[in-house]
Amino acid sequence: MGEKVFLNGKFVDAKDAAVSVFDHGVLYGDGVFEGIRSYNRKVFRLTEHLDRLYESAQSIRLKIPMGKEDFLDKITQTLKINELDDGYVRVVVTRGAGDLGLDPRKCKTPAIFIIAGKISLYPEAFYEKGLAIVVSKIKRNHPESLNPKIKSLNYLNNILAKIDAIDSGAEEAIMLSVDGYVAECTGDNILMVKNGRLITPERSVGALEGITQGVVIKLAEENGIEVEHKKILLDEVFSADECFLTGTAAEIIPVVKIDGKNVGNGIPGEVTQKLRRKFRELTGTEGTAY
Ligand code: PMP
């Protein structure tokens, strides 16, 4: 992690960066967050991440006591102060400290913190050889319970599925919706390729609207790859030609096995590799400079 953390308006030493035990982010997971990457002293898709942060906050009726422009500034400053050329930024807004008891009105001031550090990546071999994942028995939260669109501090649904993956010796797991459609993985979106078309779960199924996924869809369209949003059954993933995951930390990572069965011919597919190359061209050039 970096040396300095932005906490409630100030930069403090990482070892002194602490929030209250009465913070409802700690007590109840009541808060929102973002994970953002910078490459080459440029923050990738910063505006999109900030928009999603403010939307998540609005969904839980949390008013962020700082404007977006100011927030953007603080994020780039955090990277600068920690002298990170390539970094990972964790942005968190909690409900703040209050009494015990769920009532968010007990919390007067949201806590804001920004941590910047080095990114820890999947080993390069996973990108070249592809990932073996499993299907979790844990269903993704129903959108009418806790909408997966909201990037909230309450990640237990995903953590339970991650534990399930680890128990099966895998790094990632597919999470299905309560009615059995492919939603996403524990910390990444999932896409597949069939007959040259890129297929991604329809929004109504309930997943985080990934920023990386959005970039990949745009790249596909610009490169003449047709994109389809639909309700995907597990069988369709098993019979797909290619499958891959997207996420800020993972970028684009091929999936070659699900529950021990090969996807396509069991090696990263051509469309996946092409999109990976295009994606890496973008991250090296576009972004908010600091
Ligand atoms: N789904 C979940 C549950 C996530 O936590 C994330 C982010 N790690 C993603 C998808 C990918 O989203 P993004 O591309 O915006 O990082």
Side-chain angles (χ1 to χ4, degrees), residues 35 49 52 140 151 155 158 184-189 208-213 246-249:
H49 281 283
R52 190 170 65 185
R140 192 71 177 103
K151 201 164 168 63
Y155 248 54
N158 311 55
E184 60 180 332
C185 287
T186 70
D188 299 301
N189 290 109
L208 186 73
E209 288 173 13
I211 287 161
T212 318
Q213 180 186 41
T246 61
T248 295

Side-chain angles (χ1 to χ4, degrees), residues 184-202:
E184 60 180 332
C185 287
T186 70
D188 299 301
N189 290 109
I190 183 164
L191 297 93
M192 61 181 200
V193 179
K194 180 81 182 174
N195 300 327
R197 284 157 78 88
L198 182 65
I199 305 170
T200 160
E202 194 179 285

Side-chain angles (χ1 to χ4, degrees), residues 29 31-34 52-53 55-61 140-141 143 145-155 158 184 206-209:
V32 293
F33 77 103
E34 276 299 320
R52 190 170 65 185
L53 180 75
E55 272 164 34
S56 292
Q58 197 179 20
S59 304
I60 66 163
R61 297 228 229 137
R140 192 71 177 103
N141 283 332
S145 299
L146 171 54
N147 197 331
K149 262 181 72 168
I150 304 171
K151 201 164 168 63
S152 86
L153 289 181
N154 199 311
Y155 248 54
N158 311 55
E184 60 180 332
L208 186 73
E209 288 173 13

Side-chain angles (χ1 to χ4, degrees), residues 92-113:
V92 181
V93 184
T94 75
R95 189 75 67 180
D99 254 333
L100 298 179
L102 294 180
D103 191 341
R105 291 171 301 185
K106 292 171 184 289
C107 310
K108 296 300 171 215
T109 319
I112 299 180
F113 52 93

Side-chain angles (χ1 to χ4, degrees), residues 134-139 157 160-162 164-165 172-176 186 259:
V134 292
V135 180
S136 178
K137 60 180 181 293
I138 304 292
K139 300 289 184 276
N157 180 218
L160 289 175
K162 178 86 176 182
D164 212 13
E172 254 298 9
I174 296 178
M175 299 183 77
L176 304 177
T186 70
D259 277 351

Side-chain angles (χ1 to χ4, degrees), residues 4-208:
K4 294 276 183 192
V5 171
F6 177 84
L7 175 63
N8 298 329
K10 295 193 290 273
F11 285 98
V12 299
D13 287 341
K15 64 175 179 9
D16 302 322
V19 294
S20 165
V21 295
F22 295 102
D23 193 303
H24 282 204
V26 178
L27 289 173
Y28 302 115
D30 186 356
V32 293
F33 77 103
E34 276 299 320
I36 310 173
R37 285 277 286 274
S38 79
Y39 300 84
N40 251 332
R41 295 187 83 81
K42 286 188 281 292
V43 189
F44 192 63
R45 295 294 186 270
L46 180 50
T47 312
E48 283 91 331
H49 281 283
L50 275 172
D51 287 347
R52 190 170 65 185
L53 180 75
Y54 279 74
E55 272 164 34
S56 292
Q58 197 179 20
S59 304
I60 66 163
R61 297 228 229 137
L62 168 62
K63 192 168 176 343
I64 300 178
M66 183 154 83
K68 267 189 205 173
E69 286 201 1
D70 202 8
F71 217 132
L72 186 148
D73 248 23
K74 295 298 182 290
I75 291 171
T76 53
Q77 274 182 41
T78 310
L79 281 157
K80 249 206 255 188
I81 219 168
N82 287 294
E83 297 175 2
L84 291 158
D85 294 345
D86 301 280
Y88 179 83
V89 185
R90 174 59 53 91
V91 175
V92 181
V93 184
T94 75
R95 189 75 67 180
D99 254 333
L100 298 179
L102 294 180
D103 191 341
R105 291 171 301 185
K106 292 171 184 289
C107 310
K108 296 300 171 215
T109 319
I112 299 180
F113 52 93
I114 307 170
I115 307 166
K118 291 222 174 6
I119 174 96
S120 72
L121 297 169
Y122 278 126
E124 189 60 29
F126 286 167
Y127 293 88
E128 277 147 29
K129 298 204 178 105
L131 209 56
I133 65 172
V134 292
V135 180
S136 178
K137 60 180 181 293
I138 304 292
K139 300 289 184 276
R140 192 71 177 103
N141 283 332
H142 192 282
E144 287 174 24
S145 299
L146 171 54
N147 197 331
K149 262 181 72 168
I150 304 171
K151 201 164 168 63
S152 86
L153 289 181
N154 199 311
Y155 248 54
L156 267 180
N157 180 218
N158 311 55
I159 291 165
L160 289 175
K162 178 86 176 182
I163 291 170
D164 212 13
I166 294 165
D167 285 349
S168 320
E171 288 296 318
E172 254 298 9
I174 296 178
M175 299 183 77
L176 304 177
S177 66
V178 171
D179 45 3
Y181 294 106
V182 172
E184 60 180 332
C185 287
T186 70
D188 299 301
N189 290 109
I190 183 164
L191 297 93
M192 61 181 200
V193 179
K194 180 81 182 174
N195 300 327
R197 284 157 78 88
L198 182 65
I199 305 170
T200 160
E202 194 179 285
R203 282 193 172 163
S204 65
V205 172
L208 186 73

